[in-house]
Every structure is written in structure tokens, then in C-alpha cells.
Amino acid sequence: EVQLVESGGGLEQPGGSLSLSCAASGSTFSSHAMSWVRQAPGKGLEWVSVISSGGITHYADSVKGRSTISRDNFKNTLYLQMNSLRVEDTALYYCARYSGNSFSGGFDIWGQGTMVTVSS
Amino acid sequence: SYVLTQPPSVSVAPGKTASITCGGNNIASKSVHWYQQRPGQAPVLVIYYDNDRPSGIPERFSGSNSGNTATLTISRVEAGDEADYYCQVWDSSSDHVVFGGGTKLTVL
């Protein structure tokens, strides 16, 4: 069974940086597109970024220009680097796997999330 | 940017049928996916590509997509179906994933 385990969350100061990781078990990581989705406390799901198996990336307007999504298919790991953190970046950050390599697909596997709190 | 509109809440009695809508401009031209999120848990895919069910999802869950509205239908609702439900699409014109605002399903 494929599992996703996020790490790297914590308390960050406004203007600071964060680096999140998502470790995937199983041997099919490289053939799936991946995504980061976040959820502020008590709020709905908000898409953050996607990356295809070959490295094509897209970002939500709210994080574009200060975020970088990347992946290491040898380490079966997805990453998110975010700079110039804002209070509104406070959220539970989920790693999610696409059912295939198409961005039009659904997210069939989700991690349990890692909490990021941005506060002074 | 593309917008998906869901009702904030839907209530249904046990054993009845719940319908949760997801409105978007010409949404029928897109593939719609639905997620169930119980309190304190990660989302779970319950319907993908409009009306397909992942393995392990009960047949009581079904989907449809026509015109400007996609619908998640839950038949013979059970207490365990009480959760937040989100629709999601890929907007190829903006290269963005879009989620609806979510619908809280309450089982009376």
C-alpha cells in the first residue's frame, strides 16, 4: 500500500522560509504527478502547487514567485520550498498523489499533513 | 480564474439520498473529482473522472456532470457519511487545480 508521509512543518516567523518534504513508499512514485494542498484551520482545501513526473510545475497565485516544488524520483520524495512567509500561509500542508501523470486526474493518495504556523 | 460553487451545507435523514452540487461555467467540459473529509482526517477520493469510484468506495456513492453542474449523490445515507465534501477540477486555461468551497453533510 502506497503511503505519503510529510515532514518539515513547525513555527515560522513572517518573512521566513520553510522546507517541506513528502516521502512516498512504493515503487511507482516516479510515474505519478504530485501536488501540495493546504488547509487553514477551519477552512477548506486550497491547492498550492503541482509537479508532473517529468518536472513540469504550476503554482497557485497566492504562492507563485515565492515557492518551489521539486521531486527526487530516486529518493521517492516530493519537496516544497516557500519563502517570504505570511501569516496567511498558516495551514496544514498535505502531499497528494495524482492517480496518474495527468493534471486533469484526481488525487488518489493523501498524506496526513504537516502543520505550518507563521507567527511572530 | 475558474470558480467552483458548492452549497455550504446539506442535511439528510439516514437511509435517504443526499445530493451535493458543484457549479462551474461549462463544468461538463472538465473532469470532476470528489473528496470526503471526516473531522481530523485527510481527504479521501470518493469519485473521480465524474462518475468512477475508486476501489473500496461503496456503490452508494455516484457522480454526474452536465452543463454547469456536477453532482455527488450518496444513496442510503449512513451516519458515517457525515463529513465535508469537496469537488475539484483542473482548469487548463490557467493551469490551476481548483477546489470548491466544500459542503458539510449532516446526517439528521
Side-chain angles (χ1 to χ4, degrees):
Chain A
E1 180 185 351
V2 176
Q3 287 189 328
L4 302 174
V5 179
E6 303 94 336
S7 61
L11 177 63
E12 306 289 349
Q13 292 208 336
S17 300
L18 66 80
S19 181
L20 304 181
S21 299
C22 170
S25 62
S27 59
T28 62
F29 175 80
S30 63
S31 61
H32 292 262
M34 299 291 296
S35 183
W36 289 98
V37 177
R38 67 186 182 184
Q39 187 169 34
K43 303 297 184 182
L45 301 175
E46 180 189 14
W47 170 68
V48 175
S49 183
V50 294
I51 185 168
S52 70
S53 62
I56 297 171
T57 61
H58 299 292
Y59 299 91
D61 296 345
S62 58
V63 304
K64 192 171 185 177
R66 59 190 185 97
S67 296
T68 302
I69 188 172
S70 61
R71 63 191 296 162
D72 186 330
N73 288 336
F74 293 102
K75 294 183 177 180
N76 284 0
T77 304
L78 177 72
Y79 304 98
L80 180 69
Q81 176 80 27
M82 191 179 295
N83 304 316
S84 303
L85 289 171
R86 307 166 181 168
V87 171
E88 53 266 35
D89 293 321
T90 294
L92 184 63
Y93 283 72
Y94 290 106
C95 164
R97 189 189 82 165
Y98 272 96
S99 57
N101 193 37
S102 169
F103 291 148
S104 65
F107 302 117
D108 63 347
I109 306 291
W110 294 69
Q112 286 304 304
T114 185
M115 186 67 201
V116 173
T117 303
V118 183
S119 174
S120 55
Chain B
S1 60
Y2 195 77
V3 176
L4 294 176
T5 301
Q6 297 182 235
S9 63
V10 167
S11 298
V12 62
K16 300 299 186 182
T17 298
S19 294
I20 299 173
T21 58
C22 176
N25 184 36
N26 193 26
I27 195 173
S29 66
K30 303 180 185 303
S31 295
V32 180
H33 315 289
W34 291 91
Y35 303 89
Q36 175 193 70
Q37 186 179 35
R38 295 189 173 105
Q41 297 186 17
V44 173
L45 180 68
V46 293
I47 292 289
Y48 65 109
Y49 288 114
D50 297 342
N51 56 16
D52 286 335
R53 273 179 295 104
S55 60
I57 301 300
E59 291 183 7
R60 301 185 296 104
F61 288 80
S62 62
S64 63
N65 187 9
S66 177
N68 293 318
T69 305
T71 303
L72 172 68
T73 301
I74 309 172
S75 305
R76 302 181 299 283
V77 167
E78 303 173 355
D81 298 330
E82 191 162 278
D84 293 326
Y85 291 85
Y86 296 89
C87 58
Q88 175 253 314
V89 301
W90 170 254
D91 179 32
S92 57
S93 64
S94 63
D95 288 332
H96 279 34
V97 171
V98 181
F99 284 99
T103 298
K104 181 177 180 58
L105 177 67
T106 298
V107 181
L108 301 171

